[in-house]
């Protein structure tokens, strides 16, 4: 099972490439994966039936939390697996014809659809409640992509976002409920929870949260409105997600916990009341729709309410009938959706007012639809008839036993069954009947082009299975019975599934509801009720959009009040909150009993600290921007001295590099600002600012004093030297901690660096962030020839290679400098950069690899390489930067992050912990004994990310600003 889950993942990644090669025919190849999973589940049937040999696999995931990647195939999950994989295989096969004219443009759709099938496969088989929530959220995200496939259509985008918000909101509530259950029960194993279910008020709250997640996913009131809107998706998505798979996830969750929580206080009232109301609401609205897909969508909403009532009722008989209903619905509703897809593709319409006489022209498709609708109504010999009769019998027994909610459920199901027959008849009439216009004349038949045989194969197979499973009800009863007996025995027993139980009350109720339902349809047509405006002035969808507009307006109001565009206000707010929060904590916790303070630790502090303080005070008084920046940097350079004299050479090296890069960044930004600060930049309210500064400094000093004196146990860092040597195989404790012992923290910091680089680029680049302005392709042709070692010289016609004829020209030390104006060039700087650039790059690589046992590391090495790029840019401008780094900064950022993540993930495949280091040792002739630690790969990722960040800053604040300035000057704008 776990291997098949991995195959689903690999297939979803490879299928887009296969689509580009084979076109829509690759869907048939993708269908093989769920088909194999379907066959695998069938082969496991004997083991599933034997409680002693239930298929089970488990792999540790987070042992410290007791979370495992575990999968168990119980009778319930066996049924759901067959639905997910069987219908999934047919839908993917159907896509081969549905997308025949879109060809290679549906690669992403194909991969996401197969990935969704894999996520559902994992959801119904996982035996860990937390893993179930994870698969739950994955299906929400993938369904968002599938519903929004036609991303150029506003309706598709709105529907996708609506479905995502609703199901994700329910998923978050479900997650909280799952955490509560896990904590109370002491385990996240679903098997353990079902074997020994907890109880109490906290558990009841968790049950309500589980039901919120279930009803949101299964489109049960008040979350029903997202499902009809999702009909903007391609029809295969509707057939799979909204008939067989995604909406069944909530029903599966109800079925999973109904046997143990069905008698809990909040369970039955919530499930029955919401289910009955949803069944009636969906049935009434389906009678008023003119779009075939929306008729089926509201019909699905109604049916989901039906399932929630029956399978969630919590008795053995109801569990038996409810699970049979789920099987029948997956077969007949997915077949009907696929038939609508055929009609839509052949006629480019789904409007029943435009369809007439299709049934006589397409008898095979019409017969398939009739069989599916017959199963939906509950007509023999379909599985729908078997399931409906069993469900009615279960509710009838509960009502006769005096169960009040049993009577409510029975009446609701009977009324809902009438509406099901009514909208089922409306669907058949709308899609296949010959109609008459308003004057009573017969409408001309809609021209019907016959579809390919393969296009109809999937719905025909599903309709055939609807009858086949109905006839084979006794065989199905064996599997469904194994699930039903997990519910409490109410004295009646589960009963059994059969095509004929004889003449009994349930049969009479079923026949009567079908006849009345057909009468309701005829009456609605005769009175014109189905064409009248909506009954209420608003719908649930209107409420949703009203809430969303309210959220948007509240966001605008909040932004208007808080985002004033004033940096001093933002910084001041941060400091005020900091002082208030930390002062409160200091007052509440008190101070340590014995405080040991020293005036200084090294003599250097006596000299450096006053200089840093004086520079800070003078910086406040500075009237020139650059002067203020330089004075602020004095404090940073003072920290370099403090680090170096305190035995932290790594920190000193990193600090001086950071200060240098920061100074360059400030210099790039200040180019576009006046050198002196004007009157409007002067400090306003100096006294409050001074008090705020003193308060922030004093609070930070107290926090440092209290924090260092409040430790009651030995710090874990005391063990870092030994851990760094034994686990990380390195002597530089700082670097080994960053890439090994505290690797996850560094991973987060890398993500922040990538976000920072992206943010800087987004603020400067207007239309795109691709580096098109400093590409070497923009240089003269002579400068782009490779392999030619001749020096460049300047001529009246531009830079050319030196020849005996033009040897008197000026030599070009840097390629990009040729594009700069002569007055902006410095031959001395060009020479120095030409000589030192490669040396500095070599030094950066040395620091990268030497950092494991000495000062250095990926961060320091990356900053040194970044400084080399800064030198090239300063000496030769943006063109020289393009020649020095002829690649996009985003590629370096991405490559570095991939290396870091890969170094964390790869050990998992070998049974090791994430980021666990491995050392390779070898004795090499001449070179001697060599060692390579796998964490070096992580450090290389850090190295590339830092270079990418510096390059992005130079490209954004340097090269792009240069380009914008040049463009303004060309237009005559004075700068």
């Amino acid at each position: 099972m776990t291997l098949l889950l991995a195959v689903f993942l690999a297939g979803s990644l490879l299928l887009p490439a296969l689509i580009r090669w084979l076109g829509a025919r690759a869907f048939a190849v993708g269908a093989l994966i769920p088909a194999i999973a379907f066959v695998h589940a069938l082969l496991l049937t004997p083991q599933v039936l034997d409680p002693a040999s239930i298929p089970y696999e488990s792999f540790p995931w987070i042992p410290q939390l007791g979370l495992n990647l575990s999968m168990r195939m119980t009778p319930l999950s066996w049924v759901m697996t067959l639905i997910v994989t069987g219908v999934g295989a047919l839908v993917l096969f159907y896509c081969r014809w549905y997308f025949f004219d879109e060809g290679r443009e549906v690669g992403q759709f194909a991969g996401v659809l197969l990935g969704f099938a894999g996520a559902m496969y994992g959801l119904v088989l996982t035996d860990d409640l937390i893993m179930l929530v994870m698969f739950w959220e994955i299906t929400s995200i993938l369904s968002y992509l599938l519903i929004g496939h036609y991303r150029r259509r506003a309706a598709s985008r709105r529907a996708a976002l609506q479905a995502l918000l609703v199901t994700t909101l329910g998923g978050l509530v479900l997650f909280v409920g799952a955490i509560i259950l896990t904590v109370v029960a002491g385990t996240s194993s679903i098997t353990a929870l079902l074997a020994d279910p907890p109880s109490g008020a906290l558990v009841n709250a968790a049950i309500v949260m589980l039901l919120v997640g279930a009803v949101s996913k299964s489109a049960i009131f008040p979350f029903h409105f997202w499902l009809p809107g999702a009909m903007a998706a391609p029809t295969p998505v509707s057939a799979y997600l909204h008939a067989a798979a995604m909406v069944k996830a909530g029903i599966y969750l109800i079925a999973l916990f109904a046997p143990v929580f069905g008698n809990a206080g909040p369970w039955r009232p919530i499930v029955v009341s919401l289910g009955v109301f949803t069944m009636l609401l969906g049935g009434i609205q389906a009678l008023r729709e003119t779009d075939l897909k929306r008729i089926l969508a509201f019909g699905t909403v109604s049916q989901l309410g039906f399932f929630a009532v029956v399978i969630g009722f919590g008795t053995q008989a109801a569990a038996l009938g409810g699970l049979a209903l789920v099987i029948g619905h997956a077969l007949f509703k997915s077949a009907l959706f696929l038939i609508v897809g055929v009609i839509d593709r052949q006629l480019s319409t789904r409007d029943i007012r435009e369809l007439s006489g299709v049934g006589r022209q397409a008898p095979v498709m019409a017969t398939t639809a009739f069989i599916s609708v017959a199963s939906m109504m509950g007509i023999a010999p379909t599985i729908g008839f078997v399931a409906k009769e069993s469900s009615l019998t279960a509710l009838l027994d509960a009502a006769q036993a005096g169960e009040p909610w049993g009577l409510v459920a029975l009446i609701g199901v009977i009324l809902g069954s009438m509406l099901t027959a009514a909208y089922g008849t409306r669907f058949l009439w709308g899609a296949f009947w010959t109609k008459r216009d308003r004057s009573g004349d017969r409408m001309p038949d809609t021209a019907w082009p016959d579809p390919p045989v393969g296009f109809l194969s999937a719905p025909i197979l599903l309709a055939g299975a609807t009858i086949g499973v109905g006839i084979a009800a006794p065989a199905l009863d064996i599997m469904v019975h194994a699930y039903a007996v997990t519910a409490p025995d109410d004295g009646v027993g589960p009963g059994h599934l059969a095509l004929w139980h004889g003449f009994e009350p349930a049969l009479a109720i079923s026949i009567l509801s079908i006849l009345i339902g057909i009468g309701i349809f005829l009456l609605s047509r005769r009175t014109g009720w189905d064409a009248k405006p909506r009954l209420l002035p608003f719908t649930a969808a209107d409420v949703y959009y009203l809430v969303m507009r309210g959220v948007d307006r509240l966001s605008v109001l909040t932004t208007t009040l808080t985002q004033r565009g004033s940096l001093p206000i933002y910084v001041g707010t941060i400091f005020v909150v900091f002082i208030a929060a930390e002062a409160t904590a200091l007052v509440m916790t008190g101070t340590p009993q014995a405080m040991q303070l020293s005036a200084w630790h090294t003599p250097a502090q006596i000299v450096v600290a006053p200089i840093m303080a004086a520079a800070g005070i003078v910086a406040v008084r500075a009237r020139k921007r650059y002067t203020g920046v330089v004075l602020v940097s004095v404090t940073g350079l003072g920290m370099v001295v403090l680090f170096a004299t305190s035995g932290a050479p790594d920190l000193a090296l990193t600090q001086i590099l950071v200060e240098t890069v920061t100074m360059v960044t400030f210099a790039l930004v200040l180019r576009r600002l006046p050198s002196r600060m004007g009157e409007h930049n002067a400090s306003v309210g100096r006294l409050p600012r001074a008090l705020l500064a003193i308060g922030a400094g004093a609070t930070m000093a107290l926090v440092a004093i209290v924090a260092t004196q409040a430790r009651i146990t030995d710090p874990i860092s005391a063990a870092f030297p030994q851990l760094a040597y034994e686990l990380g195989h390195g002597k530089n404790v700082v670097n080994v901690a960053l890439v090994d012992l505290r690797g996850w923290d560094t991973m987060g910091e890398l993500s922040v660096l990538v976000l920072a680089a992206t943010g800087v680029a987004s603020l400067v680049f207007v239309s795109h962030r691709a580096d098109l302005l400093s590409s070497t392709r923009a240089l003269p042709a002579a400068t782009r020839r490779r392999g030619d070692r001749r020096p460049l010289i300047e001529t009246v016609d531009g830079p050319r290679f030196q020849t005996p004829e033009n040897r008197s020209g000026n030599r070009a030390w840097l390629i990009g400098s040729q594009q700069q104006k002569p007055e902006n060039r410095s031959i001395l700087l060009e020479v120095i950069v030409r000589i030192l650039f490669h040396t500095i790059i070599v030094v950066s690589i040395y620091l990268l690899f030497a950092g494991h046992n000495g000062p250095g590391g990926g961060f320091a090495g990356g900053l040194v390489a970044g400084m080399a790029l800064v030198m090239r840019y300063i000496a030769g401008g943006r063109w020289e930067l393009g020649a020095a780094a002829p690649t996009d900064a985003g590629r370096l950022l991405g490559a570095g992050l991939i290396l870091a993540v890969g170094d964390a993930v790869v050990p998992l495949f070998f049974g090791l912990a994430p980021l666990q280091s491995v050392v390779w040792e070898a004795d090499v002739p001449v070179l001697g004994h060599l060692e390579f630690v796998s964490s070096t790969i992580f450090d290389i990722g850090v190295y590339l990310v830092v270079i990418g960040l510096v390059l992005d800053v130079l490209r954004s604040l340097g090269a792009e600003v240069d380009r914008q300035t040049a463009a303004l000057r060309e237009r005559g704008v004075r700068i």
Side-chain angles (χ1 to χ4, degrees):
M1 294 181 287
T2 308
L3 178 60
L4 281 173
L5 187 63
V7 171
F8 271 106
L9 174 61
S12 64
L13 297 175
L14 296 176
L15 191 55
L18 202 59
I19 289 286
R20 288 192 290 270
W21 180 34
L22 299 176
R25 291 173 295 177
F27 277 106
V29 180
L32 293 176
I33 296 177
I36 292 171
F38 179 83
V39 174
H40 175 259
L42 287 178
L43 294 176
L44 292 178
T45 303
Q47 298 182 45
V48 175
L49 286 173
D50 184 3
S53 62
I54 293 290
Y56 178 73
E57 298 174 2
S58 181
F59 301 94
W61 179 36
I62 307 179
Q64 295 83 351
L65 298 179
L67 298 181
N68 301 315
L69 181 59
S70 55
M71 306 184 77
R72 183 186 297 272
M73 187 173 287
T74 62
L76 173 62
S77 58
W78 177 84
V79 170
M80 297 301 299
T81 299
L82 292 180
I83 292 174
V84 168
T85 57
V87 177
L90 291 176
V91 169
L92 278 164
F93 186 70
Y94 172 90
C95 289
R96 183 254 180 271
W97 286 275
Y98 188 85
F99 293 107
F100 74 95
D101 58 345
E102 297 186 37
R104 295 167 177 80
E105 299 177 1
V106 291
Q108 177 183 332
F109 175 89
V112 173
L113 184 59
L114 185 57
F116 179 88
M120 281 299 305
Y121 182 79
L123 189 151
V124 300
L125 285 176
T126 183
D127 191 49
D128 191 282
L129 189 56
I130 304 303
M131 288 299 300
L132 185 146
V133 176
M134 293 184 63
F135 282 118
W136 188 283
E137 294 301 327
I138 291 172
T139 59
S140 294
I141 295 171
L142 296 180
S143 68
Y144 165 76
L145 298 174
L146 292 171
I147 295 171
H149 171 65
Y150 299 118
R151 48 187 175 270
R152 295 183 179 179
R153 302 177 185 176
S156 294
R157 297 195 301 270
R158 284 196 303 268
L161 181 61
Q162 184 183 79
L164 178 67
L165 291 177
V166 174
T167 56
T168 302
L169 174 63
L172 291 175
V173 178
L174 169 65
F175 180 58
V176 176
I179 293 296
I180 294 175
L181 274 182
T182 300
V183 173
V184 173
T187 179
S188 61
S189 170
I190 295 176
T191 301
L193 280 169
L194 298 179
D196 185 18
S199 60
L202 195 58
V203 173
N204 286 341
I207 290 172
V208 173
M209 294 178 186
L210 292 180
L211 290 176
V212 170
V215 299
S216 66
K217 197 77 160 183
S218 290
I220 294 173
F221 181 87
F223 304 104
H224 63 286
F225 57 88
W226 72 262
L227 181 56
M231 293 303 106
T235 299
V237 173
S238 303
Y240 190 40
L241 275 67
H242 308 139
M246 178 177 169
V247 293
K248 293 293 194 306
I251 300 300
Y252 168 72
L253 190 66
I254 294 174
L256 189 63
F257 290 106
V260 295
F261 294 134
N263 292 323
W267 182 277
R268 194 166 289 172
I270 294 175
V271 171
V272 174
S273 59
L274 293 182
V276 167
F277 187 79
T278 303
M279 188 177 186
L280 299 179
L281 180 65
I284 291 173
Q285 188 58 39
L287 279 172
R288 306 170 61 82
E289 295 294 333
T290 57
D291 186 301
L292 289 175
K293 277 183 71 173
R294 287 183 65 84
I295 293 174
L296 295 179
F298 279 104
T300 300
V301 170
S302 179
Q303 292 283 299
L304 290 169
F306 186 15
F307 305 155
V309 171
V310 179
I311 205 168
F313 198 76
T315 63
Q316 291 185 351
L320 185 80
L323 191 54
L325 283 173
V326 171
I327 297 171
H329 181 267
L331 296 174
F332 67 69
K333 190 54 70 72
S334 55
L336 291 174
F337 270 116
L338 295 180
I339 288 171
V340 172
V342 175
I343 294 174
D344 190 17
R345 293 297 285 178
Q346 296 300 107
L347 301 178
S348 299
T349 182
R350 303 189 302 259
D351 194 328
I352 62 176
R353 295 167 295 187
E354 300 175 2
L355 300 174
S356 180
V358 174
R360 289 184 298 139
Q361 302 176 71
V364 175
M365 185 175 69
T367 302
T368 302
F370 269 77
I371 294 172
S372 300
V373 172
S375 182
M376 182 169 65
M377 291 182 181
I379 298 176
T382 63
I383 180 60
F385 168 77
V386 175
K388 182 180 177 182
E389 189 176 26
S390 178
S391 302
L392 287 172
T393 301
L395 297 179
L396 189 60
D397 290 340
Q400 291 175 344
E403 168 60 47
W405 288 106
L407 181 61
V408 173
L410 178 64
I411 295 174
V413 166
I414 292 173
L415 295 176
S417 298
M418 296 176 185
L419 293 173
T420 300
Y423 66 71
T425 306
R426 179 179 175 82
F427 175 85
L428 293 176
W429 169 82
F432 302 106
W433 240 255
T434 299
K435 303 181 182 66
R436 296 184 180 275
D437 56 23
R438 294 182 179 179
S439 61
D441 297 332
R442 182 177 179 274
M443 290 177 58
D445 289 348
T446 305
W448 175 256
D450 289 331
V453 176
F455 204 7
L456 284 173
S457 59
I460 290 173
L461 287 173
L462 289 167
T466 298
I467 296 178
V469 175
I471 296 174
L476 179 64
D477 177 71
I478 298 174
M479 295 304 303
V480 179
H481 186 275
Y483 160 71
V485 295
T486 61
D489 187 1
D490 57 353
V492 179
H496 63 278
L497 298 178
L499 189 59
W500 180 249
H501 286 282
F503 295 99
E504 57 180 7
L507 178 62
I509 293 173
S510 180
I511 294 174
L512 188 62
S513 65
I514 293 172
L515 295 177
I516 294 176
I518 295 174
I520 290 174
F521 163 71
L522 296 175
L523 184 63
S524 68
R525 287 293 304 157
R526 184 174 294 276
T527 60
W529 179 85
D530 61 340
K532 290 182 180 179
R534 52 184 166 180
L535 302 177
L536 296 177
F538 63 92
T539 63
D542 295 330
V543 175
Y544 163 80
Y545 287 117
L546 180 64
V547 171
M548 293 305 298
R549 284 195 295 270
V551 171
D552 291 340
R553 290 173 181 174
L554 180 62
S555 301
V556 172
L557 177 61
T558 304
T559 304
T560 303
L561 294 176
T562 59
Q563 303 296 313
R564 311 294 297 180
S566 172
L567 182 60
I569 290 178
Y570 300 155
V571 176
T573 302
I574 294 173
F575 282 145
V576 168
V577 173
F578 166 73
I579 294 172
E582 297 302 327
T584 302
L586 290 171
V587 172
M588 295 296 293
T589 57
T591 58
Q593 297 297 324
M595 299 178 61
Q596 299 178 356
L597 301 178
S598 302
W600 64 81
H601 295 92
T602 61
Q605 295 176 353
I606 304 175
V607 179
V608 174
I611 296 176
M612 294 171 63
I617 294 173
V618 176
V620 176
R621 306 287 301 172
R623 301 303 303 157
K624 288 188 176 182
R625 288 185 170 86
Y626 190 75
T627 303
V629 171
V630 173
L631 290 170
V632 170
S633 294
V634 172
T635 60
L637 295 175
M639 291 300 300
V640 173
V641 178
L642 295 180
F643 287 147
T645 56
S646 299
D650 270 55
L651 294 178
L653 175 62
T654 303
Q655 180 68 24
I656 193 170
L657 292 171
V658 168
E659 284 297 329
T660 307
V661 172
T662 304
M663 176 71 72
V664 172
T665 304
F666 270 112
L668 293 175
V669 173
L670 294 179
R671 293 182 303 164
R672 297 296 298 270
L673 298 175
S675 60
R676 299 183 64 86
M677 290 183 285
E679 289 300 322
H680 66 283
N681 300 117
S683 293
V684 179
R686 295 185 178 183
L687 181 59
R689 293 190 181 201
L691 294 176
L692 183 61
I694 294 171
T699 302
M700 190 64 242
L702 287 174
V703 168
I705 293 172
V706 172
T708 54
Q709 303 293 327
R711 185 179 298 279
I712 59 175
T713 58
D714 293 334
I716 191 175
S717 58
F720 270 25
Q722 182 179 358
L723 292 174
Y725 187 76
E726 295 180 356
L727 300 181
H729 309 283
K731 298 177 182 179
N732 185 345
V733 180
V734 174
N735 190 67
V736 173
L738 290 176
V739 301
D740 192 327
L741 304 181
R742 291 179 56 253
W744 286 116
D745 292 346
T746 307
M747 189 83 71
E749 292 162 3
L750 288 181
S751 302
V752 171
L753 288 179
V754 173
L755 291 174
T758 305
V760 170
S762 301
L763 288 173
V764 178
F765 289 96
V766 179
S767 58
H768 57 77
R769 63 166 296 180
D771 179 44
L772 302 178
L773 50 93
S774 55
S775 172
T776 55
R777 288 193 297 270
L779 295 175
T783 67
R784 289 188 280 111
R785 291 176 57 184
R786 297 190 178 188
D788 200 325
R789 299 292 182 177
R790 291 178 295 170
L792 289 170
I793 62 170
E794 290 184 4
T795 67
V796 293
D797 298 323
R800 291 288 184 269
F801 284 115
Q802 180 177 321
T803 63
E805 291 76 17
N806 59 19
R807 187 168 296 171
S808 60
N810 296 325
R811 181 164 184 168
W813 289 91
L814 298 176
I815 294 176
S817 63
Q818 304 295 318
Q819 302 298 312
Q820 295 200 108
K821 294 181 179 180
E823 61 269 22
N824 294 334
R825 294 181 58 187
S826 170
I827 189 66
L828 181 61
L829 183 60
E830 290 181 23
V831 172
I832 293 174
V833 171
R834 173 97 178 237
I835 294 173
L836 294 182
F837 176 77
H838 299 90
T839 303
I840 295 174
I841 293 297
V842 171
V843 171
S844 76
I845 297 175
Y846 167 78
L847 290 174
L848 166 64
F849 290 100
H852 204 66
N853 292 295
F859 194 80
L863 287 174
V864 171
M867 290 306 304
L869 295 176
V870 170
M871 292 171 54
R872 291 284 290 267
Y873 168 72
I874 293 175
R878 67 186 193 272
W879 305 110
E880 185 61 28
L881 180 64
T887 186
D888 189 78
R891 295 178 181 176
L892 291 174
L893 293 169
L897 199 58
I898 288 173
L899 283 177
V901 173
D903 187 68
V905 173
V906 168
L908 295 175
F909 295 98
F910 298 93
L912 303 176
L915 283 171
Q916 183 170 338
S917 295
V918 178
V919 62
W920 291 277
E921 302 181 65
D923 292 318
V924 180
V926 180
L927 297 178
H929 184 73
L930 298 180
E931 294 183 0
F932 181 83
V933 185
S934 60
S935 60
T936 304
I937 300 174
F938 189 97
D939 225 7
I940 295 173
V942 176
Y943 179 80
L944 294 177
V945 168
V946 173
I947 295 177
L949 173 64
V950 175
L951 184 59
D952 226 347
V953 170
L954 291 175
R955 293 265 170 84
S956 304
L957 301 179
E960 173 65 9
V961 171
D962 291 344
R963 187 197 64 78
Q964 293 176 6
T965 302
L968 291 174
R969 284 174 176 166
E970 289 178 359
R971 295 202 301 265
V973 178
R974 184 177 180 182
I975 300 177

